[in-house]
Amino acid sequence: MTNFRDILAIPFGYALGWLYDICGNYLVALVIITLVLRLILLPSSIKQQKNSAKQMRLQAKVNKIRAKYAGQQSREAQMKISEETQELYRREGFNASTAGCLPLLFQLIVMMGLYGAIYSPLEHVLRLSDSVIEVLTNAYNLVADTASASANSAYRMQLNILNKFSDIVEVLPSVENSNLVTDDIIDKIQNFIGRFTILGIDLTQIPNAWREIGTILLLIPILAGLTAFLSAGFTYFRQRKTNPEMAKNPSMGCMTFMSPLMSVVFAYTLPAGIGFYWIISNILSFIQIIVLSFAIKPANIIAQQMIDETVTRRSREQSIKNTKALMKAREEQQNN
């Protein structure tokens, strides 16, 4: 039965397959599609950067509100702090959730779609027919050992086929409808396998099997965690420097270290191809954060906001003066 993840895998698999046909390298195709997705999210990241700078500017006013109720732990006092803070944000035109849930929803859709495509490269990238994949699956069942026939092997069957393909080719003649798997298809799959490896790491393998396969596979979860910490750590320590009050929030420190740790755990239990995608995504995210931190400096944003507000205020004051002068001129004209 087709599930939502399989449906999402279709467009992402098509994009990966199209890029693979152009550049002839699956890993390069994965890097390109990850870069494109990051560029799509760039406007949202810029908006968040500006929103963060505005929040920094308002923090002093928020601290004054909290100082009014210092030492008061009652529910009423906390509600007053919340109400006055929200009123301040309303007057200043600040929305803490200005980016909304769309960026997170987009990233979730991308994650599910790419995972589906990575798990099913024969179907979504090489675009082999269901009948061909069925023949290869039957051949795999002949060569698979008991350990390979795990509960989740059905979902990662196409990765299993890539992993055991040399053995599968040997038993193909004994499988029904083996004529569907032509020499061209065999060459196509073998070429793909050659481009599904990086630094000697077979990206079809799961790192938790490193005892049987080799410790080099552990590089994937380790790098996934380290690259995740780059972005989280840089954001945290930069926040501590630019906005000490916000940095006192315990949840910030917790997320700084929990997020990379979760990346390690997930990358350890999922195919290395998915871990590789996380590594690339984390690196691009870190580069984006660095570039934005220099291109859109909070101090410059705050200065521009103050200029804009000054211009708006003076324009409003001038408009009021002009209105009063016009009304006065009309009164004088009527009196004469």
Side-chain angles (χ1 to χ4, degrees):
M1 181 178 178
T2 301
N3 56 35
F4 185 60
R5 180 167 49 187
D6 293 329
I7 295 174
L8 290 176
I10 295 174
F12 288 99
Y14 181 84
L16 275 174
W18 179 70
L19 289 170
Y20 173 75
D21 290 340
I22 292 176
C23 63
N25 190 298
Y26 180 80
L27 300 181
V28 173
L30 193 59
V31 170
I32 292 174
I33 199 170
T34 307
L35 177 60
V36 170
L37 293 171
R38 279 288 165 189
L39 290 175
I40 292 175
L41 287 172
L42 183 59
S44 173
S45 299
I46 293 174
K47 192 173 184 179
Q48 289 177 346
Q49 184 88 347
K50 292 180 177 180
N51 199 50
S52 177
K54 192 166 188 176
Q55 188 174 15
M56 288 170 53
R57 186 187 168 208
L58 295 176
Q59 191 61 43
K61 296 180 180 180
V62 172
N63 291 339
K64 288 182 179 180
I65 294 175
R66 291 175 178 170
K68 286 170 53 179
Y69 302 93
Q72 301 182 38
Q73 302 297 326
S74 65
R75 184 168 179 267
E76 291 75 13
Q78 297 304 312
M79 289 181 63
K80 280 288 187 182
I81 293 175
S82 178
E83 290 173 359
E84 293 185 23
T85 301
Q86 292 302 317
E87 177 60 22
L88 169 66
Y89 287 166
R90 188 193 64 78
R91 290 198 310 268
E92 297 289 343
F94 171 76
N95 184 359
S97 58
T98 186
C101 297
L102 287 179
L104 292 177
L105 179 61
F106 178 79
Q107 292 183 63
L108 178 62
I109 291 174
V110 168
M111 182 176 66
M112 293 177 66
L114 276 178
Y115 286 8
I118 290 172
Y119 266 109
S120 307
L122 301 182
E123 175 185 358
H124 296 300
V125 180
L126 298 183
R127 294 187 283 277
L128 301 183
S129 66
D130 291 341
S131 56
V132 170
I133 295 175
E134 183 180 0
V135 172
L136 293 173
T137 300
N138 293 334
Y140 170 79
N141 290 331
L142 293 178
V143 301
D145 52 30
T146 305
S148 299
S150 58
N152 66 344
S153 62
Y155 187 72
R156 70 182 309 271
M157 177 57 70
Q158 295 184 33
L159 292 179
N160 291 338
I161 290 172
L162 294 178
N163 181 244
K164 295 281 188 177
F165 192 68
S166 59
D167 296 331
I168 288 173
V169 172
E170 294 182 6
V171 300
L172 261 179
S174 62
V175 179
E176 185 179 1
N177 296 324
S178 61
N179 60 299
L180 294 176
V181 185
T182 63
D183 290 340
D184 289 340
I185 290 177
I186 292 175
D187 291 340
K188 189 176 184 180
I189 295 175
Q190 288 175 335
N191 288 333
F192 181 79
I193 293 173
R195 295 170 173 83
F196 209 78
T197 302
I198 182 171
L199 300 176
I201 300 175
D202 182 356
L203 298 182
T204 66
Q205 298 286 0
I206 297 179
N208 62 10
W210 62 271
R211 292 179 181 85
E212 295 80 20
I213 302 167
T215 55
I216 190 172
L217 201 62
L218 291 176
L219 279 176
I220 294 295
I222 291 173
L223 290 176
L226 289 176
T227 53
F229 181 76
L230 285 176
S231 298
F234 180 84
T235 301
Y236 174 70
F237 290 111
R238 182 168 172 268
Q239 191 74 68
R240 287 189 60 180
K241 181 179 179 181
T242 58
N243 198 344
E245 290 298 324
M246 288 180 62
K248 291 179 182 179
N249 188 345
S251 63
M252 286 191 63
C254 181
M255 288 301 296
T256 300
F257 298 101
M258 282 300 296
S259 178
L261 180 60
M262 293 302 294
S263 295
V264 173
V265 172
F266 287 129
Y268 184 73
T269 57
L270 293 172
I274 293 177
F276 177 77
Y277 160 72
W278 277 345
I279 293 170
I280 297 302
S281 182
N282 290 337
I283 291 174
L284 292 177
S285 176
F286 178 65
I287 293 174
Q288 176 180 287
I289 290 174
I290 294 293
V291 171
L292 289 181
S293 67
F294 286 99
I296 309 177
K297 294 182 179 180
N300 294 343
I301 296 175
I302 293 173
Q304 186 61 49
Q305 289 173 350
M306 294 177 67
I307 292 173
D308 292 342
E309 291 176 4
T310 301
V311 170
T312 301
R313 185 178 66 253
R314 289 180 178 177
S315 177
R316 189 184 304 115
E317 292 172 351
Q318 187 62 43
S319 178
I320 294 173
K321 289 181 181 180
N322 292 341
T323 301
K324 290 182 178 179
L326 181 60
M327 292 176 63
K328 183 177 181 181
R330 287 179 178 175
E331 289 177 0
E332 292 177 350
Q333 186 177 10
Q334 291 175 355
N335 292 336
N336 295 333

